[in-house]
């Protein structure tokens, strides 16, 4: 049985639904899809208005009788995500959703479809907030910016893809793109006046924020008691998640270095002169896809995972699950050498440690060969097949720099799925030389 919601929270939830209802009714007034769509958005607006009235009345009269997300949905969600390969469903689902967004971008970025998806997301979010466990995580003072991050990243990703789709259609029709503007814009008053307004609004929002939310301050730091879970700042949670799958030298040194080097190398690698100064997808599909995958999936998705789904002891918790500090998840981590010599060959003598270097090399030979094939053999194979056009246009140096950066980027999701699916800890395990991959 779920606990009843606080009265002030129900009033706030009513205000949330009222804002969403106003947005839908306003969209109905400016919708260009005809009277049919206008009626649909008005009906949706009244649906949210009904939610607002319900929580306003229950919050004022009978707080204990406010509707909450059904217990059966809580149980099913927790079971699916927590006991049925939770991280795999989350991450693979994110990758599939990203691929579907790009493939059906022309349909999914239409304003009508985007508004409908936003309404569904806000409705689900509002109902989920009625669950005590979900609410306790979302409403933490230092987690509120992450909720804002999710919606702002979703909006600007949609905006960029939408303008790209429109510009692609305009380019095919031999018309100027949306960003084509020959008129001069003066710094004063256009730019400075806009910046002044934004500064005033931002200051007002920060003042209200600082008054409404308590600062996320804890007890003074002490070595006698560490917080559980002990998390990095939100902008480093993606990096902290990488430490689950790689050794610190790889997740904390090599991968961040490759990210910085890759960002510096982008202007020297990119040979495509199209798409400068305007949004497009068709003319820069490869670059846009790689950037969005690296930023949205391999960074923002990992931040959300580390913020809302990683609880005590860095265990995975479903959205409606109580963060139990005594939760124990048995893990039987296994290295690739153990899979090869024990399960495939059946010769455990090859796994002996402490011998000469050659014995260690033989022990980890399967992993070393696999890594060598991935890092050394794969680039020329791709240059002869699917990336042949890129190799011809970019040349040897730029091509291999691009492929190397992509290989390091792809190593993260590959290692994550292997860890979740078969509990694979290391592909190459050489603790004698502090070298583990």
């Amino acid at each position: 049985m779920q606990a009843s919601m606080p009265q002030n929270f129900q009033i706030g939830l009513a205000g949330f639904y009222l804002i969403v209802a106003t947005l839908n009714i306003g969209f109905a007034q400016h919708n260009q899809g005809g009277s049919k769509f206008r009626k649909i958005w008005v009906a949706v607006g009244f649906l949210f208005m009904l939610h607002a009235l319900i929580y306003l009345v229950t919050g004022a009269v009978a707080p204990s009788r406010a509707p909450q997300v059904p217990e059966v949905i809580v149980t099913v969600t927790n079971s699916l995500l927590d006991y049925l390969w939770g991280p795999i469903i989350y991450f693979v689902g994110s990758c599939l959703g990203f691929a579907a967004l790009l493939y059906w971008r022309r349909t999914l970025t239409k304003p009508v479809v985007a508004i409908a998806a936003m309404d569904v997301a806000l409705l689900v979010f509002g109902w989920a907030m009625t669950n005590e466990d979900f609410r306790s995580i979302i409403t933490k003072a230092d987690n509120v910016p992450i909720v804002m991050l999710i919606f702002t990243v979703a909006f600007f990703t949609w905006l960029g893809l939408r303008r790209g789709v429109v510009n692609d259609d305009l380019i095919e029709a031999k018309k100027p793109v949306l960003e084509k503007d020959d008129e001069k814009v003066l710094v004063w008053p256009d730019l400075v006046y806009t910046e002044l307004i934004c500064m005033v609004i931002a200051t007002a929002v920060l003042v209200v924020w600082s008054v409404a939310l308590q600062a996320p301050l804890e007890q003074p730091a002490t070595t006698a008691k560490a917080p559980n879970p002990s998390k990095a700042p939100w902008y480093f949670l993606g990096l902290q998640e990488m430490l689950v799958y790689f050794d610190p030298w790889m997740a904390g040194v090599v991968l961040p270095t490759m990210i910085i080097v890759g960002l510096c190398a982008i202007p020297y690698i990119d040979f495509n002169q199209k798409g400068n100064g305007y949004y497009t997808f068709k003319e820069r599909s490869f670059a846009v896809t790689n950037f969005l995958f690296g930023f949205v999936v391999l960074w923002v998705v990992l931040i959300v995972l580390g913020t809302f789904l990683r609880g005590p002891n860095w265990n995975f918790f479903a959205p409606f699950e109580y963060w139990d500090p005594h939760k124990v998840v048995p893990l039987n981590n296994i290295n690739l050498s153990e899979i090869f010599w024990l399960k495939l060959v059946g010769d455990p003598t090859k796994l002996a440690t402490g011998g000469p270097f050659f014995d260690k090399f033989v022990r980890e030979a399967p992993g070393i060969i696999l890594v060598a094939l991935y890092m050394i053999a794969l680039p020329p194979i791709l240059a002869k097949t699917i990336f042949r056009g890129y190799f011809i246009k970019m040349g040897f140096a730029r091509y291999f720099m691009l492929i190397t950066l992509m290989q390091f980027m792809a190593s993260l999701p590959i290692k994550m799925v292997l860890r979740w699916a078969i509990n694979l800890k290391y592909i190459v395990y050489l603790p004698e030389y502090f070298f583990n991959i």
Side-chain angles (χ1 to χ4, degrees):
M1 185 65 181
Q2 300 184 54
S4 59
M5 294 179 289
Q7 186 179 29
N8 58 347
F9 172 76
Q10 295 187 41
I11 302 299
L13 192 59
F16 165 76
Y17 283 122
L18 182 60
I19 293 174
V20 180
T22 304
L23 289 175
N24 278 274
I25 294 175
F27 182 71
Q29 298 300 319
H30 297 280
N31 180 45
Q32 299 179 355
S35 59
K36 178 180 178 181
F37 285 101
R38 186 174 293 110
K39 293 178 181 178
I40 292 176
W41 296 123
V42 170
V44 173
F46 276 109
L47 173 64
F48 283 102
M49 187 73 71
L50 179 62
H51 279 73
L53 292 175
I54 290 175
Y55 286 103
L56 186 63
V57 172
T58 55
V61 179
S64 61
R65 297 186 178 181
Q68 302 183 50
V69 57
E71 189 69 29
V72 62
I73 295 180
V74 173
T75 303
V76 171
T77 302
N78 290 345
S79 299
L80 286 177
L81 292 182
D82 191 34
Y83 302 109
L84 186 62
W85 289 0
I88 296 181
I89 293 178
Y90 172 79
F91 185 76
V92 175
S94 300
C95 294
L96 293 178
F98 173 77
L101 174 63
L102 296 186
Y103 186 79
W104 288 296
R105 63 188 181 279
R106 189 172 299 277
T107 300
L108 296 179
T109 58
K110 290 181 178 179
V112 173
V113 178
I115 292 293
M118 182 194 71
D119 284 335
V120 172
L122 293 176
L123 183 62
V124 171
F125 177 77
W127 271 97
M129 287 291 289
T130 63
N131 179 265
E132 183 180 14
D133 295 319
F134 183 87
R135 184 170 65 251
S136 65
I137 304 302
I138 296 295
T139 56
K140 288 182 62 177
D142 47 353
N143 286 350
V144 172
I146 315 302
V147 179
M148 300 171 59
L149 169 74
I150 297 172
F151 285 99
T152 52
V153 168
F155 170 76
F156 286 109
T157 301
W158 167 82
L159 180 62
L161 289 177
R162 179 59 187 170
R163 294 182 71 90
V165 168
V166 173
N167 281 340
D168 290 338
D169 293 339
L170 292 174
I171 293 172
E172 288 185 0
K174 307 299 182 182
K175 296 180 180 180
V177 297
L178 296 175
E179 290 76 19
K180 181 66 175 178
D181 188 1
D182 296 329
E183 296 182 2
K184 292 183 178 180
V185 178
L186 301 177
V187 174
W188 173 263
D190 299 284
L191 177 61
V192 177
Y193 192 67
T194 303
E195 290 177 341
L196 175 63
I197 295 175
C198 292
M199 182 177 63
V200 172
I201 295 175
T203 303
V205 170
L206 290 176
V207 170
V208 174
W209 190 340
S210 62
V211 173
L213 294 179
Q214 296 182 357
L217 299 178
E218 299 181 357
Q219 297 297 325
T222 172
T223 57
K225 183 180 180 181
N228 187 13
S230 183
K231 293 186 177 182
W234 65 267
Y235 41 84
F236 282 143
L237 278 177
L239 183 63
Q240 188 173 358
E241 183 67 22
M242 294 180 193
L243 291 170
V244 178
Y245 315 100
F246 294 96
D247 258 19
W249 72 273
M250 175 64 76
V253 179
V254 175
L255 289 179
T257 301
M258 296 303 294
I259 292 173
I260 296 174
V261 171
L263 292 175
C264 296
I266 284 176
Y268 304 97
I269 295 177
D270 193 5
F271 63 89
N272 189 355
Q273 299 300 317
K274 297 180 179 179
N276 291 328
Y278 59 92
Y279 289 92
T280 179
F281 184 85
K282 283 186 176 181
E283 294 183 346
R284 305 189 67 87
S285 58
F286 182 77
V288 172
T289 301
N290 277 275
F291 174 81
L292 287 179
F293 183 79
F295 175 67
V296 176
V297 178
L298 296 186
W299 196 247
V300 176
V301 166
L302 293 186
I303 289 176
V304 175
L305 172 63
T307 303
F308 301 115
L309 302 178
R310 289 295 189 184
N313 306 316
W314 209 249
N315 286 323
F316 181 89
F317 288 83
F320 300 132
E321 185 179 5
Y322 170 68
W323 280 19
D324 184 6
H326 305 292
K327 178 181 179 181
V328 178
V329 180
L331 292 176
N332 184 22
N333 294 327
I334 188 170
N335 300 318
L336 181 63
S337 57
E338 297 171 347
I339 296 176
F340 182 82
W341 294 114
L342 283 179
K343 296 185 177 182
L344 298 180
V345 180
D347 185 5
T349 60
K350 293 294 191 297
L351 298 175
T353 59
F357 175 78
F358 180 76
D359 292 345
K360 300 182 183 68
F361 180 80
V362 172
R363 182 190 71 201
E364 300 303 322
I368 295 174
I369 294 174
L370 189 61
V371 172
L373 290 175
Y374 177 73
M375 296 300 300
I376 300 175
L378 185 60
I381 293 175
L382 294 176
K384 293 291 185 179
T385 55
I386 60 177
F387 283 167
R388 179 176 176 81
Y390 286 93
F391 178 74
I392 295 174
K393 294 179 180 179
M394 300 178 70
F396 179 85
R398 288 198 296 177
Y399 167 78
F400 276 93
M401 182 179 295
L402 172 66
I403 292 299
T404 301
L405 293 172
M406 291 183 60
Q407 286 176 301
F408 274 96
M409 182 178 70
S411 65
L412 178 59
I414 292 173
K415 188 70 180 295
M416 291 170 68
V417 174
L418 289 176
R419 179 68 176 272
W420 292 332
I422 60 176
N423 288 331
L424 181 66
K425 187 176 183 180
Y426 292 122
I427 299 176
V428 177
Y429 180 61
L430 289 171
E432 300 89 350
Y433 305 102
F434 305 100
F435 185 81
N436 304 315
I437 299 178

